[in-house]
Amino acid sequence: MHSQDWLVDHLRRDGVVKHHAVEQALRRCDRKNYVDADIPHAYIYQDSPLPIGYHETISAPHMHATCLELLREHLKPGARVLDVGSGSGYLAAAMGLMVGDEGKVIGVEKHPELAQLSVANVRRDHPELLDNGVVELRAGNVLGDALEGEEPFDAIHVGAAASSLPDVLVKKLKPGGRMVIPVGRQWEFQVMQCIDKDPDGKVHKRDLMGVRYVPLTEPGDTSWEE
Ligand code: SAH
Protein backbone atom coordinates (compact mmCIF):
# COMPACT_ATOMS: atom_id res chain seq x y z
CA MET A 1 0.00 0.00 0.00
CA HIS A 2 1.42 3.38 -0.97
CA SER A 3 2.08 5.72 1.93
CA GLN A 4 4.19 8.72 2.90
CA ASP A 5 6.90 6.35 4.17
CA TRP A 6 6.84 4.44 0.88
CA LEU A 7 7.31 7.73 -1.00
CA VAL A 8 10.18 8.89 1.22
CA ASP A 9 11.83 5.44 0.94
CA HIS A 10 11.88 5.96 -2.83
CA LEU A 11 13.26 9.50 -2.59
CA ARG A 12 15.94 8.20 -0.23
CA ARG A 13 16.86 5.30 -2.52
CA ASP A 14 17.07 7.64 -5.52
CA GLY A 15 19.44 9.90 -3.60
CA VAL A 16 17.08 12.89 -3.67
CA VAL A 17 16.76 12.77 0.12
CA LYS A 18 20.23 12.67 1.64
CA HIS A 19 20.09 13.94 5.20
CA HIS A 20 18.31 12.71 8.29
CA ALA A 21 16.69 16.07 9.15
CA VAL A 22 15.13 16.30 5.66
CA GLU A 23 14.05 12.67 5.72
CA GLN A 24 12.37 13.07 9.12
CA ALA A 25 10.52 16.25 8.09
CA LEU A 26 9.20 14.57 4.93
CA ARG A 27 8.16 11.41 6.77
CA ARG A 28 6.27 13.49 9.33
CA CYS A 29 4.32 15.54 6.75
CA ASP A 30 1.78 13.28 5.09
CA ARG A 31 0.93 14.45 1.58
CA LYS A 32 -2.65 13.18 1.94
CA ASN A 33 -3.38 16.16 4.20
CA TYR A 34 -2.35 18.71 1.55
CA VAL A 35 -4.17 17.59 -1.61
CA ASP A 36 -7.82 17.70 -2.76
CA ALA A 37 -9.96 15.17 -0.91
CA ASP A 38 -11.19 13.63 -4.19
CA ILE A 39 -7.74 12.58 -5.42
CA PRO A 40 -7.57 8.76 -5.48
CA HIS A 41 -5.25 7.27 -2.88
CA ALA A 42 -3.01 5.66 -5.52
CA TYR A 43 -2.02 9.10 -6.87
CA ILE A 44 -1.34 10.90 -3.60
CA TYR A 45 2.10 9.36 -3.10
CA GLN A 46 3.28 9.47 -6.71
CA ASP A 47 6.23 11.72 -7.42
CA SER A 48 4.30 14.30 -9.44
CA PRO A 49 2.49 17.60 -8.88
CA LEU A 50 -1.24 17.46 -8.04
CA PRO A 51 -4.03 20.05 -8.27
CA ILE A 52 -4.86 22.01 -5.11
CA GLY A 53 -7.51 24.26 -6.68
CA TYR A 54 -7.34 27.83 -8.04
CA HIS A 55 -5.30 26.57 -11.06
CA GLU A 56 -2.38 25.86 -8.75
CA THR A 57 -0.54 22.66 -7.83
CA ILE A 58 1.31 21.13 -4.92
CA SER A 59 4.87 20.60 -6.16
CA ALA A 60 6.23 17.13 -6.87
CA PRO A 61 7.73 15.46 -3.79
CA HIS A 62 11.21 15.34 -5.37
CA MET A 63 11.10 19.14 -5.73
CA HIS A 64 10.06 19.56 -2.08
CA ALA A 65 12.91 17.22 -1.10
CA THR A 66 15.44 18.97 -3.36
CA CYS A 67 14.59 22.40 -1.93
CA LEU A 68 14.76 21.13 1.67
CA GLU A 69 18.17 19.58 0.94
CA LEU A 70 19.42 22.84 -0.60
CA LEU A 71 18.20 24.89 2.35
CA ARG A 72 19.04 22.31 5.01
CA GLU A 73 21.93 24.15 6.63
CA HIS A 74 19.77 27.26 6.91
CA LEU A 75 16.79 25.43 8.43
CA LYS A 76 18.46 24.89 11.78
CA PRO A 77 16.50 25.19 15.05
CA GLY A 78 15.56 28.82 15.63
CA ALA A 79 15.87 29.88 11.98
CA ARG A 80 13.56 32.45 10.41
CA VAL A 81 12.16 31.24 7.10
CA LEU A 82 10.00 32.59 4.26
CA ASP A 83 7.98 30.31 1.96
CA VAL A 84 6.83 32.30 -1.06
CA GLY A 85 3.74 30.93 -2.79
CA SER A 86 3.09 28.55 0.07
CA GLY A 87 0.15 26.94 -1.79
CA SER A 88 -0.90 23.77 0.01
CA GLY A 89 1.24 24.61 3.05
CA TYR A 90 3.21 21.35 2.73
CA LEU A 91 6.68 22.83 2.60
CA ALA A 92 5.95 25.46 5.25
CA ALA A 93 4.95 22.63 7.61
CA ALA A 94 8.02 20.54 6.76
CA MET A 95 10.30 23.54 7.31
CA GLY A 96 8.43 24.32 10.54
CA LEU A 97 9.34 20.87 11.86
CA MET A 98 12.99 21.49 10.95
CA VAL A 99 13.30 24.91 12.65
CA GLY A 100 11.65 23.75 15.89
CA ASP A 101 9.82 25.66 18.61
CA GLU A 102 12.21 28.62 18.53
CA GLY A 103 11.97 28.95 14.74
CA LYS A 104 9.52 30.78 12.53
CA VAL A 105 8.17 30.02 9.05
CA ILE A 106 6.06 32.61 7.29
CA GLY A 107 4.19 31.38 4.23
CA VAL A 108 2.78 33.97 1.83
CA GLU A 109 0.17 32.90 -0.73
CA LYS A 110 -1.52 35.24 -3.21
CA HIS A 111 -4.89 33.40 -3.26
CA PRO A 112 -6.62 34.20 0.05
CA GLU A 113 -8.81 31.07 -0.26
CA LEU A 114 -5.74 28.90 -0.74
CA ALA A 115 -4.00 30.51 2.22
CA GLN A 116 -7.08 29.62 4.28
CA LEU A 117 -7.13 26.08 2.92
CA SER A 118 -3.43 25.66 3.72
CA VAL A 119 -4.11 26.57 7.35
CA ALA A 120 -6.74 23.79 7.47
CA ASN A 121 -4.22 21.39 5.85
CA VAL A 122 -1.50 22.12 8.42
CA ARG A 123 -4.08 21.91 11.22
CA ARG A 124 -4.97 18.36 10.11
CA ASP A 125 -1.30 17.30 9.96
CA HIS A 126 0.52 19.32 12.65
CA PRO A 127 -1.81 21.58 14.66
CA GLU A 128 1.02 22.31 17.13
CA LEU A 129 2.90 24.24 14.42
CA LEU A 130 0.03 26.73 14.24
CA ASP A 131 -0.78 26.74 17.94
CA ASN A 132 2.80 27.51 18.96
CA GLY A 133 3.13 30.14 16.22
CA VAL A 134 6.05 28.44 14.44
CA VAL A 135 4.13 28.36 11.15
CA GLU A 136 2.12 31.36 9.99
CA LEU A 137 0.36 31.27 6.62
CA ARG A 138 -0.82 34.57 5.20
CA ALA A 139 -2.60 35.83 2.13
CA GLY A 140 -0.56 38.36 0.19
CA ASN A 141 1.54 39.05 -2.87
CA VAL A 142 5.30 39.18 -2.29
CA LEU A 143 5.76 41.38 -5.36
CA GLY A 144 3.24 43.77 -3.78
CA ASP A 145 3.35 44.90 -0.16
CA ALA A 146 3.21 41.50 1.61
CA LEU A 147 6.80 41.72 2.89
CA GLU A 148 6.75 45.36 3.94
CA GLY A 149 8.09 45.73 7.46
CA GLU A 150 9.27 42.08 7.64
CA GLU A 151 12.67 41.39 9.17
CA PRO A 152 15.10 39.50 6.90
CA PHE A 153 15.17 35.69 6.73
CA ASP A 154 17.82 32.97 7.11
CA ALA A 155 16.20 30.92 4.35
CA ILE A 156 13.77 31.77 1.55
CA HIS A 157 12.01 29.18 -0.59
CA VAL A 158 10.16 30.40 -3.66
CA GLY A 159 7.55 28.00 -5.07
CA ALA A 160 6.73 29.90 -8.28
CA ALA A 161 8.95 31.02 -11.18
CA ALA A 162 10.01 34.67 -11.26
CA SER A 163 10.67 36.18 -14.70
CA SER A 164 13.85 37.65 -13.20
CA LEU A 165 15.35 37.58 -9.71
CA PRO A 166 13.13 39.90 -7.59
CA ASP A 167 15.12 42.52 -5.70
CA VAL A 168 12.45 42.62 -2.99
CA LEU A 169 13.31 39.01 -2.09
CA VAL A 170 17.10 39.44 -2.27
CA LYS A 171 16.72 42.38 0.16
CA LYS A 172 14.85 40.15 2.63
CA LEU A 173 17.73 37.65 2.81
CA LYS A 174 19.96 37.94 5.91
CA PRO A 175 23.73 38.04 5.42
CA GLY A 176 24.72 34.37 5.54
CA GLY A 177 21.27 33.38 4.28
CA ARG A 178 20.20 31.32 1.27
CA MET A 179 17.30 31.50 -1.18
CA VAL A 180 16.23 28.88 -3.72
CA ILE A 181 14.13 30.31 -6.52
CA PRO A 182 13.04 29.16 -9.97
CA VAL A 183 13.77 31.90 -12.53
CA GLY A 184 12.42 32.09 -16.08
CA ARG A 185 9.31 33.16 -17.95
CA GLN A 186 6.22 31.00 -18.24
CA TRP A 187 6.55 28.41 -21.08
CA GLU A 188 10.22 29.33 -21.48
CA PHE A 189 13.35 27.78 -20.01
CA GLN A 190 13.35 28.06 -16.23
CA VAL A 191 16.32 27.39 -13.99
CA MET A 192 16.46 26.77 -10.25
CA GLN A 193 18.83 29.34 -8.79
CA CYS A 194 20.59 29.19 -5.46
CA ILE A 195 21.23 32.66 -4.06
CA ASP A 196 23.71 32.99 -1.19
CA LYS A 197 24.24 36.27 0.61
CA ASP A 198 27.66 36.17 2.26
CA PRO A 199 28.29 37.68 5.71
CA ASP A 200 29.41 40.93 4.02
CA GLY A 201 26.14 41.16 2.13
CA LYS A 202 27.59 40.20 -1.27
CA VAL A 203 25.20 38.12 -3.38
CA HIS A 204 26.33 34.93 -5.16
CA LYS A 205 24.13 33.17 -7.73
CA ARG A 206 24.36 29.60 -8.99
CA ASP A 207 22.22 27.91 -11.66
CA LEU A 208 21.30 24.41 -10.52
CA MET A 209 18.87 22.62 -12.85
CA GLY A 210 16.13 23.14 -15.37
CA VAL A 211 12.67 23.19 -13.76
CA ARG A 212 9.01 23.90 -14.53
CA TYR A 213 7.00 26.04 -12.13
CA VAL A 214 3.82 28.13 -12.28
CA PRO A 215 4.55 31.87 -12.59
CA LEU A 216 5.26 34.22 -9.69
CA THR A 217 2.74 36.88 -10.64
CA GLU A 218 2.63 40.63 -10.13
CA PRO A 219 -0.27 42.03 -8.07
CA GLY A 220 -3.36 42.37 -10.28
CA ASP A 221 -2.05 39.98 -12.95
CA THR A 222 -4.77 37.36 -13.33
CA SER A 223 -3.74 36.10 -16.79
CA TRP A 224 -2.57 32.78 -15.29
CA GLU A 225 -6.07 32.13 -13.91
CA GLU A 226 -7.92 32.68 -17.20
N1 SAH B 1 5.17 24.95 -2.44
C1 SAH B 1 3.78 25.03 -2.82
C2 SAH B 1 3.73 25.49 -4.26
C3 SAH B 1 2.39 25.94 -4.72
S1 SAH B 1 2.38 26.49 -6.40
C4 SAH B 1 3.17 23.64 -2.67
O1 SAH B 1 3.89 22.67 -2.91
O2 SAH B 1 2.01 23.51 -2.32
C5 SAH B 1 2.95 28.16 -6.25
C6 SAH B 1 2.05 29.09 -5.51
O3 SAH B 1 2.59 30.41 -5.64
C7 SAH B 1 0.64 29.18 -6.05
O4 SAH B 1 -0.26 28.76 -5.05
C8 SAH B 1 0.45 30.67 -6.39
O5 SAH B 1 -0.84 31.15 -6.08
C9 SAH B 1 1.52 31.33 -5.55
N2 SAH B 1 2.00 32.63 -6.04
C10 SAH B 1 2.31 32.99 -7.32
N3 SAH B 1 2.76 34.25 -7.38
C11 SAH B 1 2.74 34.73 -6.10
C12 SAH B 1 3.10 35.98 -5.51
N4 SAH B 1 3.58 36.99 -6.26
N5 SAH B 1 2.97 36.12 -4.16
C13 SAH B 1 2.49 35.09 -3.40
N6 SAH B 1 2.14 33.88 -3.91
C14 SAH B 1 2.27 33.70 -5.23
mmCIF file of all heavy atoms in Angstrom, residues 52 54 56-60 64 83-91 108-111 114 140-144 157 159-160 213-219, ligand 1:
data_model
loop_
_atom_site.group_PDB
_atom_site.id
_atom_site.type_symbol
_atom_site.label_atom_id
_atom_site.label_comp_id
_atom_site.label_asym_id
_atom_site.label_seq_id
_atom_site.Cartn_x
_atom_site.Cartn_y
_atom_site.Cartn_z
ATOM 1 N N ILE A 52 -4.394 21.610 -6.447
ATOM 2 C CA ILE A 52 -4.858 22.013 -5.105
ATOM 3 C C ILE A 52 -5.939 23.093 -5.226
ATOM 4 O O ILE A 52 -6.257 23.773 -4.258
ATOM 5 C CB ILE A 52 -3.687 22.519 -4.219
ATOM 6 C CG1 ILE A 52 -2.865 23.611 -4.929
ATOM 7 C CG2 ILE A 52 -2.783 21.358 -3.808
ATOM 8 C CD1 ILE A 52 -1.773 24.242 -4.062
ATOM 9 N N TYR A 54 -7.757 26.477 -7.628
ATOM 10 C CA TYR A 54 -7.337 27.827 -8.040
ATOM 11 C C TYR A 54 -6.247 27.788 -9.128
ATOM 12 O O TYR A 54 -5.380 28.657 -9.180
ATOM 13 C CB TYR A 54 -6.869 28.644 -6.817
ATOM 14 C CG TYR A 54 -7.843 28.539 -5.683
ATOM 15 C CD1 TYR A 54 -7.627 27.640 -4.643
ATOM 16 C CD2 TYR A 54 -9.027 29.266 -5.689
ATOM 17 C CE1 TYR A 54 -8.560 27.479 -3.630
ATOM 18 C CE2 TYR A 54 -9.961 29.121 -4.672
ATOM 19 C CZ TYR A 54 -9.722 28.231 -3.658
ATOM 20 O OH TYR A 54 -10.636 28.071 -2.662
ATOM 21 N N GLU A 56 -3.726 26.017 -9.313
ATOM 22 C CA GLU A 56 -2.383 25.855 -8.751
ATOM 23 C C GLU A 56 -2.147 24.384 -8.409
ATOM 24 O O GLU A 56 -3.076 23.584 -8.412
ATOM 25 C CB GLU A 56 -2.221 26.718 -7.492
ATOM 26 C CG GLU A 56 -2.602 28.187 -7.669
ATOM 27 C CD GLU A 56 -1.699 28.952 -8.656
ATOM 28 O OE1 GLU A 56 -0.686 28.378 -9.103
ATOM 29 O OE2 GLU A 56 -2.020 30.109 -8.978
ATOM 30 N N THR A 57 -0.887 24.049 -8.138
ATOM 31 C CA THR A 57 -0.543 22.660 -7.827
ATOM 32 C C THR A 57 0.364 22.582 -6.603
ATOM 33 O O THR A 57 1.112 23.518 -6.325
ATOM 34 C CB THR A 57 0.232 21.988 -9.005
ATOM 35 O OG1 THR A 57 1.337 22.819 -9.359
ATOM 36 C CG2 THR A 57 -0.653 21.777 -10.212
ATOM 37 N N ILE A 58 0.289 21.455 -5.913
ATOM 38 C CA ILE A 58 1.309 21.131 -4.923
ATOM 39 C C ILE A 58 2.476 20.580 -5.729
ATOM 40 O O ILE A 58 2.295 19.803 -6.664
ATOM 41 C CB ILE A 58 0.794 20.104 -3.879
ATOM 42 C CG1 ILE A 58 1.875 19.800 -2.832
ATOM 43 C CG2 ILE A 58 0.298 18.820 -4.514
ATOM 44 C CD1 ILE A 58 1.384 18.940 -1.650
ATOM 45 N N SER A 59 3.695 21.025 -5.389
ATOM 46 C CA SER A 59 4.867 20.603 -6.163
ATOM 47 C C SER A 59 5.100 19.102 -6.011
ATOM 48 O O SER A 59 4.624 18.468 -5.062
ATOM 49 C CB SER A 59 6.110 21.344 -5.686
ATOM 50 O OG SER A 59 5.930 22.731 -5.829
ATOM 51 N N ALA A 60 5.873 18.549 -6.952
ATOM 52 C CA ALA A 60 6.231 17.131 -6.872
ATOM 53 C C ALA A 60 7.109 16.904 -5.644
ATOM 54 O O ALA A 60 7.936 17.752 -5.304
ATOM 55 C CB ALA A 60 6.981 16.709 -8.132
ATOM 56 N N HIS A 64 10.071 19.218 -3.507
ATOM 57 C CA HIS A 64 10.060 19.564 -2.077
ATOM 58 C C HIS A 64 11.360 19.080 -1.430
ATOM 59 O O HIS A 64 12.025 19.826 -0.702
ATOM 60 C CB HIS A 64 8.872 18.893 -1.371
ATOM 61 C CG HIS A 64 7.550 19.562 -1.623
ATOM 62 N ND1 HIS A 64 6.352 18.941 -1.396
ATOM 63 C CD2 HIS A 64 7.249 20.803 -2.070
ATOM 64 C CE1 HIS A 64 5.354 19.769 -1.694
ATOM 65 N NE2 HIS A 64 5.874 20.902 -2.117
ATOM 66 N N ASP A 83 8.416 31.204 3.045
ATOM 67 C CA ASP A 83 7.982 30.309 1.961
ATOM 68 C C ASP A 83 7.068 31.121 1.049
ATOM 69 O O ASP A 83 5.930 31.432 1.412
ATOM 70 C CB ASP A 83 7.247 29.092 2.546
ATOM 71 C CG ASP A 83 6.905 28.064 1.481
ATOM 72 O OD1 ASP A 83 7.539 28.083 0.402
ATOM 73 O OD2 ASP A 83 5.999 27.245 1.715
ATOM 74 N N VAL A 84 7.574 31.459 -0.119
ATOM 75 C CA VAL A 84 6.827 32.302 -1.062
ATOM 76 C C VAL A 84 5.950 31.431 -1.957
ATOM 77 O O VAL A 84 6.448 30.503 -2.598
ATOM 78 C CB VAL A 84 7.804 33.129 -1.933
ATOM 79 C CG1 VAL A 84 7.045 33.873 -3.020
ATOM 80 C CG2 VAL A 84 8.611 34.086 -1.071
ATOM 81 N N GLY A 85 4.663 31.747 -2.009
ATOM 82 C CA GLY A 85 3.735 30.930 -2.789
ATOM 83 C C GLY A 85 3.537 29.613 -2.057
ATOM 84 O O GLY A 85 3.787 28.544 -2.597
ATOM 85 N N SER A 86 3.104 29.723 -0.802
ATOM 86 C CA SER A 86 3.087 28.546 0.071
ATOM 87 C C SER A 86 2.015 27.532 -0.310
ATOM 88 O O SER A 86 2.039 26.405 0.193
ATOM 89 C CB SER A 86 2.950 28.970 1.539
ATOM 90 O OG SER A 86 2.020 30.017 1.676
ATOM 91 N N GLY A 87 1.106 27.887 -1.203
ATOM 92 C CA GLY A 87 0.149 26.936 -1.793
ATOM 93 C C GLY A 87 -0.523 26.051 -0.774
ATOM 94 O O GLY A 87 -1.260 26.525 0.101
ATOM 95 N N SER A 88 -0.267 24.753 -0.871
ATOM 96 C CA SER A 88 -0.904 23.772 0.012
ATOM 97 C C SER A 88 -0.452 23.893 1.466
ATOM 98 O O SER A 88 -1.095 23.354 2.359
ATOM 99 C CB SER A 88 -0.545 22.368 -0.477
ATOM 100 O OG SER A 88 0.860 22.158 -0.318
ATOM 101 N N GLY A 89 0.690 24.510 1.691
ATOM 102 C CA GLY A 89 1.241 24.613 3.047
ATOM 103 C C GLY A 89 2.207 23.487 3.381
ATOM 104 O O GLY A 89 2.812 23.469 4.455
ATOM 105 N N TYR A 90 2.371 22.536 2.448
ATOM 106 C CA TYR A 90 3.207 21.353 2.734
ATOM 107 C C TYR A 90 4.627 21.726 3.160
ATOM 108 O O TYR A 90 5.123 21.295 4.198
ATOM 109 C CB TYR A 90 3.263 20.411 1.510
ATOM 110 C CG TYR A 90 3.995 19.139 1.839
ATOM 111 C CD1 TYR A 90 3.309 17.995 2.248
ATOM 112 C CD2 TYR A 90 5.396 19.084 1.823
ATOM 113 C CE1 TYR A 90 3.981 16.839 2.612
ATOM 114 C CE2 TYR A 90 6.079 17.931 2.195
ATOM 115 C CZ TYR A 90 5.364 16.820 2.574
ATOM 116 O OH TYR A 90 6.035 15.680 2.948
ATOM 117 N N LEU A 91 5.274 22.542 2.333
ATOM 118 C CA LEU A 91 6.683 22.832 2.602
ATOM 119 C C LEU A 91 6.844 23.715 3.840
ATOM 120 O O LEU A 91 7.806 23.551 4.603
ATOM 121 C CB LEU A 91 7.316 23.496 1.372
ATOM 122 C CG LEU A 91 8.783 23.199 1.149
ATOM 123 C CD1 LEU A 91 9.071 21.713 1.121
ATOM 124 C CD2 LEU A 91 9.250 23.846 -0.146
ATOM 125 N N VAL A 108 3.599 32.927 2.451
ATOM 126 C CA VAL A 108 2.784 33.966 1.828
ATOM 127 C C VAL A 108 2.203 33.397 0.539
ATOM 128 O O VAL A 108 2.945 32.885 -0.315
ATOM 129 C CB VAL A 108 3.607 35.243 1.527
ATOM 130 C CG1 VAL A 108 2.725 36.303 0.894
ATOM 131 C CG2 VAL A 108 4.255 35.788 2.795
ATOM 132 N N GLU A 109 0.886 33.475 0.413
ATOM 133 C CA GLU A 109 0.174 32.898 -0.734
ATOM 134 C C GLU A 109 -0.786 33.939 -1.293
ATOM 135 O O GLU A 109 -1.566 34.519 -0.543
ATOM 136 C CB GLU A 109 -0.566 31.624 -0.270
ATOM 137 C CG GLU A 109 -1.584 31.083 -1.232
ATOM 138 C CD GLU A 109 -1.044 30.848 -2.640
ATOM 139 O OE1 GLU A 109 -0.002 30.187 -2.782
ATOM 140 O OE2 GLU A 109 -1.681 31.348 -3.601
ATOM 141 N N LYS A 110 -0.729 34.140 -2.607
ATOM 142 C CA LYS A 110 -1.520 35.236 -3.206
ATOM 143 C C LYS A 110 -3.033 34.966 -3.217
ATOM 144 O O LYS A 110 -3.826 35.903 -3.206
ATOM 145 C CB LYS A 110 -1.019 35.528 -4.625
ATOM 146 C CG LYS A 110 -1.375 34.469 -5.618
ATOM 147 C CD LYS A 110 -1.040 34.854 -7.050
ATOM 148 C CE LYS A 110 -1.408 33.705 -7.970
ATOM 149 N NZ LYS A 110 -1.020 33.901 -9.350
ATOM 150 N N HIS A 111 -3.444 33.692 -3.293
ATOM 151 C CA HIS A 111 -4.891 33.396 -3.258
ATOM 152 C C HIS A 111 -5.345 33.319 -1.796
ATOM 153 O O HIS A 111 -4.959 32.364 -1.094
ATOM 154 C CB HIS A 111 -5.215 32.049 -3.898
ATOM 155 C CG HIS A 111 -4.924 31.969 -5.352
ATOM 156 N ND1 HIS A 111 -5.642 32.672 -6.305
ATOM 157 C CD2 HIS A 111 -3.994 31.271 -6.039
ATOM 158 C CE1 HIS A 111 -5.168 32.400 -7.501
ATOM 159 N NE2 HIS A 111 -4.166 31.560 -7.374
ATOM 160 N N LEU A 114 -6.756 29.955 -0.844
ATOM 161 C CA LEU A 114 -5.743 28.895 -0.743
ATOM 162 C C LEU A 114 -4.954 29.050 0.558
ATOM 163 O O LEU A 114 -4.614 28.051 1.213
ATOM 164 C CB LEU A 114 -4.812 28.971 -1.965
ATOM 165 C CG LEU A 114 -3.951 27.764 -2.297
ATOM 166 C CD1 LEU A 114 -4.734 26.475 -2.274
ATOM 167 C CD2 LEU A 114 -3.282 27.957 -3.667
ATOM 168 N N GLY A 140 -1.265 37.151 0.605
ATOM 169 C CA GLY A 140 -0.558 38.359 0.190
ATOM 170 C C GLY A 140 0.280 38.088 -1.036
ATOM 171 O O GLY A 140 0.512 36.933 -1.397
ATOM 172 N N ASN A 141 0.697 39.172 -1.679
ATOM 173 C CA ASN A 141 1.541 39.047 -2.871
ATOM 174 C C ASN A 141 2.932 39.597 -2.547
ATOM 175 O O ASN A 141 3.065 40.762 -2.180
ATOM 176 C CB ASN A 141 0.912 39.810 -4.038
ATOM 177 C CG ASN A 141 1.614 39.490 -5.350
ATOM 178 O OD1 ASN A 141 2.842 39.595 -5.448
ATOM 179 N ND2 ASN A 141 0.848 39.095 -6.339
ATOM 180 N N VAL A 142 3.943 38.749 -2.682
ATOM 181 C CA VAL A 142 5.298 39.177 -2.294
ATOM 182 C C VAL A 142 5.871 40.231 -3.233
ATOM 183 O O VAL A 142 6.822 40.913 -2.880
ATOM 184 C CB VAL A 142 6.300 37.994 -2.201
ATOM 185 C CG1 VAL A 142 5.885 37.020 -1.118
ATOM 186 C CG2 VAL A 142 6.470 37.313 -3.536
ATOM 187 N N LEU A 143 5.296 40.321 -4.450
ATOM 188 C CA LEU A 143 5.762 41.377 -5.364
ATOM 189 C C LEU A 143 4.967 42.662 -5.125
ATOM 190 O O LEU A 143 5.222 43.683 -5.742
ATOM 191 C CB LEU A 143 5.646 40.923 -6.829
ATOM 192 C CG LEU A 143 6.437 39.654 -7.187
ATOM 193 C CD1 LEU A 143 6.245 39.308 -8.667
ATOM 194 C CD2 LEU A 143 7.929 39.803 -6.871
ATOM 195 N N GLY A 144 3.974 42.583 -4.222
ATOM 196 C CA GLY A 144 3.238 43.769 -3.779
ATOM 197 C C GLY A 144 3.789 44.215 -2.431
ATOM 198 O O GLY A 144 5.002 44.330 -2.275
ATOM 199 N N HIS A 157 12.377 30.109 0.483
ATOM 200 C CA HIS A 157 12.005 29.184 -0.588
ATOM 201 C C HIS A 157 10.953 29.865 -1.457
ATOM 202 O O HIS A 157 9.999 30.444 -0.930
ATOM 203 C CB HIS A 157 11.413 27.890 -0.015
ATOM 204 C CG HIS A 157 10.744 27.058 -1.068
ATOM 205 N ND1 HIS A 157 9.385 27.110 -1.318
ATOM 206 C CD2 HIS A 157 11.266 26.201 -1.975
ATOM 207 C CE1 HIS A 157 9.105 26.290 -2.327
ATOM 208 N NE2 HIS A 157 10.225 25.732 -2.736
ATOM 209 N N GLY A 159 8.235 29.127 -4.435
ATOM 210 C CA GLY A 159 7.551 28.001 -5.065
ATOM 211 C C GLY A 159 6.908 28.341 -6.395
ATOM 212 O O GLY A 159 6.079 27.579 -6.891
ATOM 213 N N ALA A 160 7.274 29.499 -6.978
ATOM 214 C CA ALA A 160 6.733 29.897 -8.281
ATOM 215 C C ALA A 160 7.853 30.618 -9.032
ATOM 216 O O ALA A 160 8.723 31.239 -8.412
ATOM 217 C CB ALA A 160 5.519 30.813 -8.094
ATOM 218 N N TYR A 213 7.843 25.548 -13.224
ATOM 219 C CA TYR A 213 7.000 26.041 -12.126
ATOM 220 C C TYR A 213 5.917 26.962 -12.684
ATOM 221 O O TYR A 213 6.084 27.547 -13.762
ATOM 222 C CB TYR A 213 7.848 26.834 -11.122
ATOM 223 C CG TYR A 213 8.552 25.986 -10.081
ATOM 224 C CD1 TYR A 213 9.761 25.359 -10.364
ATOM 225 C CD2 TYR A 213 8.009 25.822 -8.816
ATOM 226 C CE1 TYR A 213 10.414 24.591 -9.399
ATOM 227 C CE2 TYR A 213 8.651 25.056 -7.846
ATOM 228 C CZ TYR A 213 9.860 24.446 -8.147
ATOM 229 O OH TYR A 213 10.488 23.688 -7.193
ATOM 230 N N VAL A 214 4.841 27.133 -11.922
ATOM 231 C CA VAL A 214 3.823 28.129 -12.278
ATOM 232 C C VAL A 214 4.440 29.508 -12.044
ATOM 233 O O VAL A 214 5.404 29.637 -11.297
ATOM 234 C CB VAL A 214 2.528 27.966 -11.430
ATOM 235 C CG1 VAL A 214 1.908 26.600 -11.656
ATOM 236 C CG2 VAL A 214 2.770 28.207 -9.960
ATOM 237 N N PRO A 215 3.912 30.551 -12.708
ATOM 238 C CA PRO A 215 4.554 31.871 -12.585
ATOM 239 C C PRO A 215 4.321 32.566 -11.245
ATOM 240 O O PRO A 215 3.261 32.439 -10.643
ATOM 241 C CB PRO A 215 3.918 32.671 -13.723
ATOM 242 C CG PRO A 215 2.636 32.004 -14.010
ATOM 243 C CD PRO A 215 2.782 30.560 -13.651
ATOM 244 N N LEU A 216 5.356 33.300 -10.824
ATOM 245 C CA LEU A 216 5.256 34.217 -9.687
ATOM 246 C C LEU A 216 4.669 35.500 -10.275
ATOM 247 O O LEU A 216 5.331 36.170 -11.072
ATOM 248 C CB LEU A 216 6.644 34.471 -9.100
ATOM 249 C CG LEU A 216 6.711 35.292 -7.819
ATOM 250 C CD1 LEU A 216 6.244 34.464 -6.627
ATOM 251 C CD2 LEU A 216 8.142 35.780 -7.569
ATOM 252 N N THR A 217 3.438 35.802 -9.923
ATOM 253 C CA THR A 217 2.742 36.878 -10.642
ATOM 254 C C THR A 217 2.750 38.200 -9.880
ATOM 255 O O THR A 217 2.769 38.229 -8.652
ATOM 256 C CB THR A 217 1.273 36.482 -10.930
ATOM 257 O OG1 THR A 217 0.643 36.192 -9.685
ATOM 258 C CG2 THR A 217 1.185 35.273 -11.831
ATOM 259 N N GLU A 218 2.715 39.271 -10.675
ATOM 260 C CA GLU A 218 2.629 40.629 -10.125
ATOM 261 C C GLU A 218 1.219 40.838 -9.567
ATOM 262 O O GLU A 218 0.263 40.218 -10.048
ATOM 263 C CB GLU A 218 2.851 41.666 -11.246
ATOM 264 C CG GLU A 218 4.203 41.584 -11.926
ATOM 265 C CD GLU A 218 5.321 42.205 -11.097
ATOM 266 O OE1 GLU A 218 5.013 42.973 -10.155
ATOM 267 O OE2 GLU A 218 6.490 41.902 -11.386
ATOM 268 N N PRO A 219 1.078 41.732 -8.574
ATOM 269 C CA PRO A 219 -0.270 42.032 -8.070
ATOM 270 C C PRO A 219 -1.184 42.463 -9.220
ATOM 271 O O PRO A 219 -0.750 43.219 -10.093
ATOM 272 C CB PRO A 219 -0.040 43.201 -7.114
ATOM 273 C CG PRO A 219 1.401 43.141 -6.760
ATOM 274 C CD PRO A 219 2.112 42.520 -7.923
HETATM 275 N N1 SAH B 1 5.173 24.947 -2.440
HETATM 276 C C1 SAH B 1 3.785 25.031 -2.820
HETATM 277 C C2 SAH B 1 3.726 25.487 -4.264
HETATM 278 C C3 SAH B 1 2.392 25.944 -4.721
HETATM 279 S S1 SAH B 1 2.376 26.488 -6.403
HETATM 280 C C4 SAH B 1 3.172 23.641 -2.673
HETATM 281 O O1 SAH B 1 3.890 22.673 -2.906
HETATM 282 O O2 SAH B 1 2.006 23.510 -2.323
HETATM 283 C C5 SAH B 1 2.947 28.157 -6.253
HETATM 284 C C6 SAH B 1 2.052 29.086 -5.515
HETATM 285 O O3 SAH B 1 2.585 30.410 -5.639
HETATM 286 C C7 SAH B 1 0.637 29.177 -6.049
HETATM 287 O O4 SAH B 1 -0.263 28.760 -5.051
HETATM 288 C C8 SAH B 1 0.447 30.670 -6.387
HETATM 289 O O5 SAH B 1 -0.841 31.150 -6.081
HETATM 290 C C9 SAH B 1 1.520 31.330 -5.553
HETATM 291 N N2 SAH B 1 2.003 32.627 -6.040
HETATM 292 C C10 SAH B 1 2.307 32.987 -7.318
HETATM 293 N N3 SAH B 1 2.756 34.255 -7.378
HETATM 294 C C11 SAH B 1 2.738 34.728 -6.097
HETATM 295 C C12 SAH B 1 3.104 35.978 -5.509
HETATM 296 N N4 SAH B 1 3.579 36.985 -6.263
HETATM 297 N N5 SAH B 1 2.974 36.122 -4.161
HETATM 298 C C13 SAH B 1 2.492 35.093 -3.396
HETATM 299 N N6 SAH B 1 2.136 33.885 -3.912
HETATM 300 C C14 SAH B 1 2.269 33.696 -5.233
#
